[in-house]
Amino acid sequence: MHLRARIGFPALFVAAAVTVGGCAPQDDSASDDAASPGTSATAPACDKGKLATHTAGKLTIGTDKPAYAPWFQDDPANGKGFESAVAYSVAEALGYGKDQVVWQTVPFNNSFSPGAKDFDFDINQVSISDERKQAVDFSSGYYDVRQAVIALKSSPYAKAKTIADLKGAKLGAQVGTTSLDTINDVIKPGRKPAVYQKNDFAKSALRNKQVDAIVVDLPTAFYITGAEVTDAEVVGQFPNAGGATEQFGLVLDQGSKLTSCVTRAVDGLRGNGTLADLEKQWLSDAVDAPVLK
């Protein structure tokens, strides 16, 4: 997820034709939002552009710095990259134009740690989990994610076909991520995994052969092998455990008055095909990879 920016993509600020509910509870029958795709008839309505945000008239969105492709492209404010485009689409659905969006730097682990937040929502490949829900709110998921493992082409682990084939490997992942959970809970290797504060460090360890392989989300895996560590390859992706789909969600302060509004915006974007279009535009490199059985 934390990679150097890709170049060459056009800017995109999708004018999502989404209607969303409001922060202040209102009579649903009087709101057009009640008919929005993917919204609940019993959810509160929203007053577009008049939500109870941290700064009146502004929408503060958090993400880590640096922000990497394919999720961002250099500057989150330029609208390029999947998550930047999603953020602006959600903002527009909530009634906030590009000039009303303020970006806030938030380290990945801080985004879902306990405590008050200084953003209205954060977008940074944060997977929704019951554990994290104890500290923060999540919107509904905006991206269905698979974890993947990459190794240098010269490594014997590049030929792994099954999860069992990876049990003897020295593996690495970023701390606090579902990638690390995948190592510990799915692969269960015989050797203690290497844990890094940033994916940058994990990537360097792979390049320097300090680890045999690293685990990242699938789009990031394809970007690393295609643009940054070109002598590495995607070994395979992991099936969803127990049939559950891991999803990235927007993070909000626990008990935020905006949670239902943001969720309705995301649901609307999924319902009208905007999320699928953005995924096709920005994450098309993340084609199918072999599933490790």
Side-chain angles (χ1 to χ4, degrees):
M1 80 185 93
H2 291 178
L3 308 170
R4 196 168 54 233
R6 104 182 347 170
I7 58 175
F9 290 100
L12 176 64
F13 299 105
V14 174
V18 181
T19 54
V20 298
C23 188
Q26 297 180 0
D27 183 354
D28 287 329
S29 63
S31 170
D32 292 337
D33 299 333
S36 297
T39 61
S40 167
T42 59
C46 290
D47 293 328
K48 286 192 172 185
K50 298 179 180 179
L51 305 183
T53 55
H54 277 74
T55 302
K58 300 288 185 181
L59 186 69
T60 303
I61 304 176
T63 197
D64 205 350
K65 185 178 181 179
Y68 296 100
W71 311 104
F72 297 93
Q73 186 173 322
D74 296 325
D75 181 2
N78 63 17
K80 299 179 180 179
F82 178 73
E83 290 193 327
S84 181
V86 168
Y88 279 114
S89 294
V90 172
E92 183 165 348
L94 294 172
Y96 294 86
K98 181 183 178 184
D99 60 342
Q100 293 175 291
V101 171
V102 178
W103 287 91
Q104 178 84 23
T105 298
V106 181
F108 177 77
N109 287 326
N110 291 1
S111 65
F112 52 84
S113 63
K117 308 303 180 190
D118 55 3
F119 52 78
D120 294 311
F121 70 76
D122 182 274
I123 182 168
N124 190 22
Q125 307 114 65
V126 181
S127 295
I128 301 170
S129 72
D130 290 340
E131 181 180 1
R132 290 171 179 169
K133 284 181 178 178
Q134 296 178 24
V136 294
D137 285 356
F138 281 97
S139 71
S140 54
Y142 61 86
Y143 178 69
D144 299 341
V145 63
R146 291 284 189 96
Q147 297 295 322
V149 60
I150 62 177
L152 295 180
K153 296 175 181 176
S154 59
S155 169
Y157 292 102
K159 298 180 175 60
K161 302 298 183 186
T162 68
I163 294 173
D165 291 340
L166 297 170
K167 288 190 178 296
K170 179 68 174 179
L171 302 169
Q174 182 177 345
V175 66
T177 62
T178 49
S179 301
L180 182 58
D181 292 341
T182 298
I183 293 176
N184 290 326
D185 300 337
V186 178
I187 303 174
K188 301 177 181 178
R191 303 170 68 182
K192 185 177 179 180
V195 181
Y196 303 95
Q197 286 297 320
K198 298 278 188 180
N199 261 349
D200 280 346
F201 303 143
K203 183 177 57 185
S204 296
L206 176 66
R207 183 184 291 115
N208 296 326
K209 301 183 179 179
Q210 295 169 324
V211 294
D212 295 313
I214 62 174
V215 176
V216 295
D217 61 74
L218 187 59
T220 296
F222 274 99
Y223 186 73
I224 289 176
T225 56
E228 296 202 321
V229 188
T230 55
D231 56 345
E233 65 182 28
V234 178
V235 178
Q237 61 177 308
F238 296 90
N240 288 321
T245 300
E246 178 185 348
Q247 291 185 310
F248 291 156
L250 304 177
V251 183
L252 299 97
D253 204 355
Q254 192 170 47
S256 171
K257 295 179 179 178
L258 304 184
T259 301
S260 62
C261 303
V262 174
T263 287
R264 294 178 71 182
V266 172
D267 289 348
L269 294 172
R270 184 177 293 280
N272 67 15
T274 297
L275 291 180
D277 289 343
L278 295 178
E279 186 175 331
K280 183 177 181 180
Q281 176 167 4
W282 296 107
L283 304 179
S284 59
D285 288 345
V287 295
D288 290 340
V291 176
L292 297 166
K293 301 179 180 178

